[in-house]
Amino acid sequence: MAIMRIDPTRGLESMSRKMNDFLNEFDKDITMEYGGFSPKIDIFEDDKNLFVEAELPGINKDDVKVKVNSDGVLNISGEKKRCDKCCEGDKEKGEIEVVRIERTFGSFHRAFQLPDYVNKDSIKAKFENGILRISLDKIEPEKPKEVHVEIE
């Protein structure tokens, strides 16, 4: 009678790979965002300015607030409101049936620590076609102070 070794984990790797393939195939058309609306942000710079651009589709300019606090944190906040009148017709009378909703709504808040080389008093913001463009001027960073110490 021959002695055979049994590997209890044999086959688990292939089963795990098959499960991952199944879930990846299932997940292709599903996108979930938790916590409501969160705008996409781009940050870039040139020699003289730092730029922040936020995509805010379907949001009114009056529903957006931009602030820089004393710690040098840029705060962008607001709310994307659901349209009261989504389609012509009356939901109460059963004329409208929701088939699919993919858009997200709700309040949002994004915060970014600004670098020291940005003039926090020079902030300019422009809102056009659902894009918020923020511009900040760069300044020469303060040089570290040196104190001459006498050696006794």
Side-chain angles (χ1 to χ4, degrees):
M1 170 181 207
I3 298 175
M4 291 179 36
R5 289 187 180 217
I6 297 175
D7 183 7
T9 61
R10 188 175 136 213
L12 287 179
E13 184 177 271
S14 67
M15 188 170 69
S16 174
R17 194 172 31 251
K18 287 178 184 178
M19 185 62 101
N20 281 336
D21 291 344
F22 169 76
L23 291 175
N24 287 338
E25 187 66 32
F26 180 75
D27 195 35
K28 277 186 179 176
D29 196 32
I30 297 174
T31 305
M32 292 192 172
E33 290 187 19
Y34 299 100
F37 177 70
S38 180
K40 305 295 185 214
I41 306 284
D42 293 333
I43 301 174
F44 48 98
E45 64 184 325
D46 62 15
D47 292 342
K48 297 180 181 179
N49 300 89
L50 179 75
F51 302 99
V52 179
E53 288 190 356
E55 278 187 347
L56 302 171
I59 299 177
N60 292 324
K61 180 175 86 168
D62 298 333
D63 294 330
V64 178
K65 303 285 184 260
V66 178
K67 298 177 184 175
V68 176
N69 68 19
S70 60
D71 294 330
V73 177
L74 173 67
N75 292 285
I76 305 170
S77 60
E79 184 174 6
K80 183 176 181 183
K81 298 176 183 172
R82 184 180 298 271
C83 180
D84 292 336
K85 189 176 173 184
C86 69
C87 300
E88 295 302 319
D90 191 354
K91 275 186 179 179
E92 307 298 319
K93 295 180 184 175
E95 294 177 15
I96 294 177
E97 181 180 337
V98 176
V99 176
R100 184 174 182 141
I101 296 177
E102 292 186 352
R103 297 181 299 159
T104 55
F105 300 92
S107 57
F108 64 90
H109 179 257
R110 301 290 308 266
F112 303 93
Q113 179 67 50
L114 295 173
D116 292 336
Y117 58 81
V118 170
N119 182 357
K120 289 140 187 91
D121 297 325
S122 71
I123 188 167
K124 295 177 203 128
K126 183 177 181 181
F127 190 86
E128 186 176 42
N129 295 327
I131 304 291
L132 173 67
R133 289 182 173 87
I134 300 170
S135 160
L136 297 114
D137 295 334
K138 288 184 178 180
I139 56 173
E140 189 69 33
E142 285 186 29
K143 305 245 187 226
K145 294 181 181 179
E146 291 182 0
V147 177
H148 182 72
V149 178
E150 292 279 335
I151 301 175
E152 294 179 16

